[in-house]
């Protein structure tokens, strides 16, 4: 029973409101006050197990509440009257119904209540009794007694089994003794027989023949049986059974080890810490103990039972029946969900508790227990995380060696499928929890806090350092000014991109983040992303040449404030392209959702979620696709597995494009298809959208119901009261407008604004093409308006009606999302365009018209020919936008695909040139296509990154320095520069397929092998430089200097360099030099222990992962950590399911790791290259091989005699 409850005032008010509306029992009762003779009438409301009371029935705020769990309610007699009153009054009081609520908590007074009617009182008593959960507590006690009884029975059976086992062993000994006596008697009897043969017997020749015949029969029989046995032993069935038995025995051993680990966790840590928490000066609270260990004790009890069952099955070997054990185990394995979901939080609580010296000292005492074998508490807490995958792998191996006709095969397959489903659910929950914790970690780093990060739908995309250029001076800044901004970091900002917001922070000297007072939190729906400022923009003249085309602008137009501009500068074009692509994808999704909301909020009876849900293939499993229970950034269930055709179909679905799906697909498509197939699909979508796009994707756009024609006709004025503000027939050409009208202000549409329903729908084509443009504001397409209709137009609509479309289309870059030219001609059947059919709708507007028609038929004023023209136009434009959007993301963020595949590059160039030749191409589409074409065709002239080969081949560099003449700062900076150069040169396709573990790894993954070789060379260099010193003091000084270098690498976030140096110091040749280490200072040793703890492989590099999660790029992680994760994913799950579907959950896990790697690859260090230092670090002549190092170590400090 819970003794205390934590709640806040908001929670209590929310529950009180629910109690008032939906309470189990509500009404007036009199409550006895502290004074025995006074009763106060209150209005009570019972909700679940909480009883609220209010001052009156209309009171909105409760006066108090009682927690009824574990209480009891009983009838009470009427209290005696101290004073005599009127007889009628006494009779009325005596007739009232009294009852008392007794609470189980110590020190809490009973609650005495009364009501007017006995029936009402009985109803209140029954409701309170049900709310107290008394029946459940009673049932719990009964079950606990049964459990204790069963445990006693099991112990009794164990004792009886041991006794029987001893009796059987004694009987076996007695039987062996009797056998030996019988053999001895037979031998004695044979010796007593006379040696002379019986003369009256058979003929000796006959006896010899019979003896030979008997020998031959026995020999033939033995030979036949030997052949049969040998054939079976060599048969595949026997080999499979042997391997199956080995797997079972190994599983039993692993289960025994796991149960032992849980015993150590519970008996060595959990129970002692509970006792410590109950002491007078507790080093830890009970809540922290529960948060750290979670339900590990329950897990231990479960696996003890399972282990006993396994041992009982082994006792019946060779008959091994295991399926029924898994049938018993499976329903109880859901307890792992809570453990896995809160595992990361558990480790965080443990880390916080370790800050307490008393707790840390106590914990080290527990860890020194011999049963722990030198393992830390974090290690034991990590063991349950791998148990479910271990069962899956074991069952997979067991099924591989189980015949199809085996009696257990179906049961084992069922158990494996259930475990895989549980593993997927646990993985999805962990992914969601990790995203929330990532957001909360960033929120804690910001001093002012950030409420938007508390939104669970806010998904983290990327972070990095950008330079903010002052918008007032950006047209007047000189290169010197830009240099000072970079050197002094005056304009350096830490930027965080989420699915809905963009945060800009400054970093203080203490490492804390501060949001900018103006423009610190940017809502992406209010932003316009401008990738390349137009030449006509006075503020942007010459900025492209000044900044090397590394700048981009974000124009922010808040609905209730003045607009402003944020100018950001990326370190390289590659990083700029990555930022642009991610921001544009976020804005595309927001704007697409906003478009759907605007289209359907007034013009359809179907809301946006229902519109998406109306396509069952988006969330329901089918033969060629299966979904998980978690949602992607578009709030659509994530794909768990699907066929290649369905994945390509989702890639080109016109309704939405999920960022995580697009990243996952482009990262991993090589595992299940080829780039040529993907490009062919995109080309088909562009060339034949009506035949290439599945019909189900178009039905939601143009689902004209058969009953639409039977609707009521619109009012006499020709305007629908619901549709007239947005959709109506095309107006005549608008008059020429002033060029000074602000194109951005007239096109801006805030999806959160109440007036958005009166303005034109969003321009999906522009927003999906340009990075992150605002939705173009298209005025309502309507017939010549009546005076009344004209008065209903908003000022923004009038401005849009007065703007000149030609000027808009020419002056604005595609990133500003210009609206579609208004004079779009509908093509007649005769092939000529009529001037009277000019249309002022943008593609998004026409798209909205068509989607609205799905629920309401044709808009007023449109005939069938115009509607069909709308459909064809919308589908072609939307298909073109989707193709260009995917290609832009592919080219900007996955340029390596085209650098390594010239044929693919030429095919994409041909497709883009074909798009440019399209006469119906809109101006913004044409400009976006030209931008992609230019980005694909340029020869990386802006790539100023150094390559390791360039550094090695430098011939005019100065002579390399020696170790003593170089400072620790110089060494650390150049080590970091070299490590990052090698790390960023790894193409992400090398992380697929475990190529680094194959025999031809040098050909398949040359960059990973180069990284590994560079790591070994640097580690060998450190060890060699230490061993080159002859005297002890010099070696100790060298060790202290290298530890200082490692600490500076840690400050530079170069954890690969830290591991290079610490691994060198831990080599046997260095580690054994006791005299040298005795000379090393205590501070250096403590610092080295801290560095080793940071990069330790304990708990799957738990400390290093936590450090990387909290640091900002640039950084160099240890590559081996990610390779281990990828190997675990590759070995644990196949690429294809048994049905031949692509295991997209696995692809998502691989993509998540690759995205984290590329996040660190894309952000470069601002460290100047010093040739004299790098020549020293890359000089292989200074490296001594391992054997020579050890011999030199023995020569310096010989082994002590035994």
């Amino acid at each position: 029973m819970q003794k205390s409850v934590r709640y806040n005032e908001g929670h209590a008010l929310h529950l009180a409101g629910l109690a008032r509306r939906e309470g189990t029992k509500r009404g007036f009762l009199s409550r006895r006050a502290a004074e025995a003779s006074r009763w106060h009438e209150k209005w009570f409301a019972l909700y679940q197990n909480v009883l609220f009371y209010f001052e009156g029935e209309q009171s909105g705020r409760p006066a108090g509440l009682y927690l009824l769990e574990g209480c009891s309610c009983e009838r009470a007699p009427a209290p005696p009257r101290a004073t005599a009153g009127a007889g009628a009054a006494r009779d009325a009081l005596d007739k009232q119904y009294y009852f008392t609520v007794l609470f189980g908590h110590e020190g809490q007074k009973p609650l005495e209540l009364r009501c007017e009617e006995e029936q009402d009182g009985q109803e209140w008593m029954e409701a309170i009794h049900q709310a107290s959960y008394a029946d459940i507590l009673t049932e719990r006690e009964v079950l606990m007694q049964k459990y204790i009884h069963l445990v006693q029975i099991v112990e009794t059976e164990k004792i009886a089994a041991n006794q029987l086992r001893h009796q059987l062993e004694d009987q076996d000994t007695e039987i062996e003794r009797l056998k030996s006596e019988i053999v001895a008697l037979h031998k004695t009897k044979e010796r007593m027989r006379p040696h002379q043969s019986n003369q009256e017997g058979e003929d000796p020749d006959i006896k010899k023949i019979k003896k030979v015949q008997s020998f031959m029969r026995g020999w033939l029989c033995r030979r036949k049986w030997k052949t049969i046995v040998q054939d079976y032993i060599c048969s595949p069935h026997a080999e499979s059974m042997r391997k199956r038995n080995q797997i079972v025995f190994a599983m039993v051993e692993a289960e025994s080890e796991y149960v032992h680990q849980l015993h150590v966790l519970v008996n060595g840590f959990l129970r002692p810490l509970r006792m410590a928490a109950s002491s007078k000066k507790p080093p830890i609270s009970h809540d922290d103990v529960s948060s750290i260990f979670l339900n590990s004790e329950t897990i231990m009890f479960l696996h003890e039972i399972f282990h006993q069952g396994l041992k009982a099955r082994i006792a019946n070997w060779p008959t091994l029946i295991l399926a029924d054990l898994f049938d018993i185990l499976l329903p109880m394995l859901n307890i792992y969900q809570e453990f896995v979901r809160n595992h990361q939080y558990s480790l965080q609580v443990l880390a916080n508790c370790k800050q307490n010296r008393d707790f840390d000292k106590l914990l080290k005492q527990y860890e020194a227990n011999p049963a722990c074998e030198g393992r830390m508490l974090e290690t034991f807490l990590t063991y349950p995380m791998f148990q479910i995958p271990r069962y899956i792998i074991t069952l997979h191996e067991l099924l591989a060696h189980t015949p199809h006709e085996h009696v257990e095969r179906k049961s084992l397959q069922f158990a494996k499928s259930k475990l895989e489903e549980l593993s997927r659910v646990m993985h999805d929950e962990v992914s969601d929890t990790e995203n929330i914790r990532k957001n909360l970690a960033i929120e804690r780093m910001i001093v002012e806090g950030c409420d938007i990060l508390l939104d669970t739908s806010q998904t983290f995309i990327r972070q990095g350092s950008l330079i903010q250029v002052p918008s007032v001076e950006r047209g007047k800044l000189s290169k010197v000014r830009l240099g000072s901004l970079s050197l002094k970091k005056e304009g350096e900002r830490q930027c965080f991109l989420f699915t809905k917001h963009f945060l800009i922070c400054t970093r203080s000297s203490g490492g804390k983040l501060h949001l900018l007072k103006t423009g610190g939190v940017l809502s992406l729906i209010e932003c316009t992303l401008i990738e390349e400022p137009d030449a006509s923009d006075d503020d942007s003249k010459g900025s492209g040449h000044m900044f090397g085309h590394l700048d981009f602008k974000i124009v922010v137009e808040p609905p209730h404030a003045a607009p402003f501009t944020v100018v950001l500068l990326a370190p390289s074009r590659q990083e700029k392209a990555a930022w642009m692509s991610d921001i544009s994808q976020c804005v595309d999704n927001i704007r697409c959702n906003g478009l759907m909301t605007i289209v359907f909020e007034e013009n359809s009876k179907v809301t946006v979620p229902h519109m998406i849900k109306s396509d069952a293939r988006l969330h329901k499993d089918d033969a060629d696709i299966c979904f998980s229970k978690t949602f992607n950034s578009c709030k659509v269930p994530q794909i768990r597995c699907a066929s290649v055709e369905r994945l390509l179909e989702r890639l080109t679905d016109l309704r939405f494009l999920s960022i995580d799906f697009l990243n996952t697909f482009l990262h991993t498509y090589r595992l299940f298809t080829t780039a040529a197939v993907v490009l062919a699909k995109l080309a088909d979508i562009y060339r034949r959208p009506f035949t290439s796009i599945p019909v189900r994707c178009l039905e939601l756009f143009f689902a004209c119901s058969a009953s639409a024609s039977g609707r009521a006709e619109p009012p006499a004025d020709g305007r629908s009261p619901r549709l007239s503000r947005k959709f109506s027939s095309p107006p005549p050409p608008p008059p020429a407008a002033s060029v000074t009208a602000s194109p951005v202000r007239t096109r801006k549409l805030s999806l959160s604004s109440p007036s958005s329903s009166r303005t034109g729908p969003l321009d999906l084509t522009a927003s999906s093409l340009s990075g992150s443009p605002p939705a173009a504001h298209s005025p309502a397409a309507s017939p010549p308006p009546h005076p009344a209709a004209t008065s209903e137009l908003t000022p923004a609509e009038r401005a849009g009606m007065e703007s000149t479309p030609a000027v808009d289309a020419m002056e604005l870059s595609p990133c500003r999302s210009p609206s579609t030219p208004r004079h779009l001609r509908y093509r007649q059947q005769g092939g000529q365009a009529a001037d009277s059919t000019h249309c002022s709708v943008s593609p998004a507007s026409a798209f909205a018209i068509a989607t609205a028609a799905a629920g309401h038929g044709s808009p007023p004023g449109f005939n069938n020919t115009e509607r069909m023209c709308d459909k064809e136009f919308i589908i072609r434009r939307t298909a073109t936008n989707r193709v260009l959007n995917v290609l832009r993301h592919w080219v900007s963020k996955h340029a390596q695909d085209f650098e390594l595949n010239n044929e693919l590059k030429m095919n994409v160039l041909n497709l883009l040139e074909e798009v440019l030749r399209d006469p119906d191409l809109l101006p913004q589409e044409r400009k976006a296509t030209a931008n992609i074409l230019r980005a694909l065709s340029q020869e990386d002239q802006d790539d100023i990154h150094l390559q390791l080969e360039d550094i090695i081949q430098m011939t005019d560099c100065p002579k390399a320095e020696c170790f003593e003449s170089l400072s620790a700062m110089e060494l650390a900076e150049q080590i970091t520069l070299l490590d990052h150069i090698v790390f960023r040169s790894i193409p992400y396709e090398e992380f697929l397929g475990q190529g680094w573990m194959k025999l031809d790894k040098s050909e398949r993954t040359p960059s990973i092998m180069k990284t590994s070789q560079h790591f070994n060379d640097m580690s060998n260099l450190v060890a060699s430089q230490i061993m080159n010193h002859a005297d002890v003091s010099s070696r100790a000084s060298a060790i202290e200097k290298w530890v200082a270098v490692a600490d500076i690498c840690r400050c530079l976030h170069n954890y690969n360099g830290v591991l290079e140096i610490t691994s060198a110091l831990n080599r046997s040749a260095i580690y054994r030099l006791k005299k040298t280490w005795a000379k090393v200072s205590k501070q250096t040793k403590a610092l080295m222990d801290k560095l080793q703890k940071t990069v330790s492989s304990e708990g799957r590099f738990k400390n290093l992962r936590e450090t990387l999660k909290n640091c900002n790029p640039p950084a160099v992680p240890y590559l081996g950590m990610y390779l281990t994760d990828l190997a675990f994913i590759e070995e644990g799950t196949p690429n294809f399911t048994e049905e031949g579907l692509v295991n997209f959950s696995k692809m998502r896990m691989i993509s998540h790791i690759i995205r984290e790697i590329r996040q660190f690859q894309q952000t470069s260090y601002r460290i100047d290259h010093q040739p004299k230092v790098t020549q020293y670090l890359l000089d292989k002549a200074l490296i001594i091989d391992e054997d020579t190092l050890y011999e030199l170590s023995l020569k310096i400090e010989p082994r002590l005699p035994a």
Side-chain angles (χ1 to χ4, degrees), residues 91-112:
D91 294 340
L93 291 174
D94 292 336
K95 290 181 181 180
Q96 290 187 348
Y97 191 89
Y98 294 81
F99 57 96
T100 305
V101 180
L102 302 175
F103 298 93
H105 310 304
E106 296 180 1
Q108 185 168 358
K109 295 182 180 180
L111 175 63
E112 297 183 26

Side-chain angles (χ1 to χ4, degrees), residues 78 81 259 370 400 575 635 716 734 755 892 920 933 937 1035 1043 1122:
R81 298 297 168 187
V259 171
E575 191 162 353
K635 299 305 177 185
S755 62
S892 62
D920 295 334
L933 194 62
S937 58
R1035 285 196 301 273
V1043 173
Y1122 295 116

Side-chain angles (χ1 to χ4, degrees), residues 1023-1036:
S1024 301
Q1025 290 301 294
I1026 294 174
M1027 297 301 297
N1028 279 336
H1029 296 279
D1031 57 305
V1032 176
S1033 300
S1034 299
R1035 285 196 301 273

Side-chain angles (χ1 to χ4, degrees), residues 926-1111:
R926 188 176 302 279
K927 190 166 185 178
T929 306
N931 289 338
I932 302 173
L933 194 62
R934 182 169 58 255
L936 187 61
S937 58
Q938 64 183 3
E939 297 296 333
D940 296 333
Q941 297 175 358
D942 60 319
D943 190 4
I944 59 175
H945 295 307
L946 283 172
Q947 299 295 329
L948 188 63
E949 292 77 7
D950 300 335
I951 297 176
I952 295 175
Q953 294 175 2
M954 286 183 178
T955 57
D956 56 346
C957 61
K959 184 179 179 181
E961 298 283 344
C962 61
F963 176 69
E964 291 77 10
S965 63
L966 296 174
S967 67
M969 179 63 74
E970 289 177 327
L971 288 170
E973 286 185 345
Q974 298 308 303
I975 288 174
T976 300
L977 179 62
L978 292 176
D979 286 350
H980 190 266
I981 288 173
V982 176
F983 176 69
R984 76 180 176 214
S985 65
I986 305 174
Y988 65 90
E989 58 264 20
E990 291 192 11
F991 296 114
L992 304 175
Q994 288 183 280
W996 62 90
M997 301 177 66
K998 308 298 183 184
L999 294 177
D1000 55 345
K1001 54 187 177 183
S1002 298
E1003 290 77 21
R1004 297 181 62 173
T1005 57
S1007 299
I1008 292 179
M1009 292 299 101
K1010 185 192 301 181
T1011 305
S1012 177
Q1013 184 62 41
H1014 177 72
F1015 182 95
N1016 295 333
D1017 290 344
M1018 293 301 301
S1019 183
N1020 290 333
L1021 176 67
V1022 174
S1024 301
Q1025 290 301 294
I1026 294 174
M1027 297 301 297
N1028 279 336
H1029 296 279
D1031 57 305
V1032 176
S1033 300
S1034 299
R1035 285 196 301 273
S1037 300
I1039 289 177
E1040 291 179 349
K1041 185 173 182 179
W1042 279 117
V1043 173
V1045 171
D1047 189 46
I1048 298 174
C1049 287
R1050 178 189 63 82
C1051 296
L1052 293 173
H1053 298 164
N1054 179 15
Y1055 302 102
N1056 185 73
V1058 174
L1059 196 55
E1060 288 172 348
I1061 297 174
T1062 55
S1063 62
L1065 297 177
N1066 284 319
R1067 290 192 175 190
S1068 57
I1070 307 294
Y1071 189 76
R1072 63 175 298 276
L1073 301 176
K1074 296 183 179 180
K1075 295 180 181 179
T1076 303
W1077 285 103
K1079 290 284 187 179
V1080 177
S1081 64
K1082 293 182 179 179
Q1083 293 83 355
T1084 301
K1085 291 180 180 179
L1087 179 58
M1088 183 176 173
D1089 291 339
K1090 177 183 176 182
L1091 295 174
Q1092 287 180 329
K1093 187 176 181 180
T1094 301
V1095 296
S1096 171
S1097 61
E1098 188 76 20
R1100 295 175 59 247
F1101 296 94
K1102 176 183 67 67
N1103 295 333
L1104 180 56
R1105 293 179 194 275
E1106 190 67 25
T1107 304
L1108 287 172
K1109 187 182 297 184
N1110 295 327
C1111 82

